[in-house]
Amino acid sequence: QALRQISQRTISTASRRQFENRVHENQKLFQEDNGLPVHLKGGAKDALLYRTTMGLTLFGTIYAVYCLLVSSMPKKPN
């Protein structure tokens, strides 16, 4: 029971950081009609993540097709 009191006291008296509520700013950014898809409205970081994801997807697809082609060929006898 003493441990529970110590943990409750630690949690309840811990200083909490005050974060600024930026929901309204983000709503303005993402609802703005600027012709960009929503997954690219975050700026350069979103564009980099999108291009990286598309590159990895393309590489994975090509590698999967290559593996299927290699496995479909009969082995040469030695």
Side-chain angles (χ1 to χ4, degrees), residues 4-30:
R4 187 172 60 185
Q5 286 178 345
I6 292 172
S7 66
Q8 285 177 347
R9 188 178 311 130
T10 304
I11 291 171
S12 65
T13 60
S15 64
R16 295 183 180 141
R17 292 184 180 176
Q18 296 297 322
F19 291 105
E20 184 181 342
N21 186 1
R22 296 191 295 151
V23 173
H24 188 65
E25 295 171 19
N26 286 334
Q27 284 177 340
K28 279 184 184 178
L29 172 71
F30 286 103

Side-chain angles (χ1 to χ4, degrees), residues 6-74:
I6 292 172
S7 66
Q8 285 177 347
R9 188 178 311 130
T10 304
I11 291 171
S12 65
T13 60
S15 64
R16 295 183 180 141
R17 292 184 180 176
Q18 296 297 322
F19 291 105
E20 184 181 342
N21 186 1
R22 296 191 295 151
V23 173
H24 188 65
E25 295 171 19
N26 286 334
Q27 284 177 340
K28 279 184 184 178
L29 172 71
F30 286 103
Q31 290 177 357
E32 183 179 325
D33 188 20
N34 56 6
L36 287 174
V38 72
H39 60 273
L40 294 177
K41 286 191 177 187
K45 182 178 163 186
D46 281 351
L48 179 67
L49 285 171
Y50 175 75
R51 288 185 181 135
T52 302
T53 303
M54 288 302 112
L56 287 171
T57 303
L58 182 64
F59 173 75
T61 302
I62 291 171
Y63 185 70
V65 169
Y66 170 77
C67 287
L68 284 171
L69 287 173
V70 167
S71 64
S72 68
M73 301 292 173

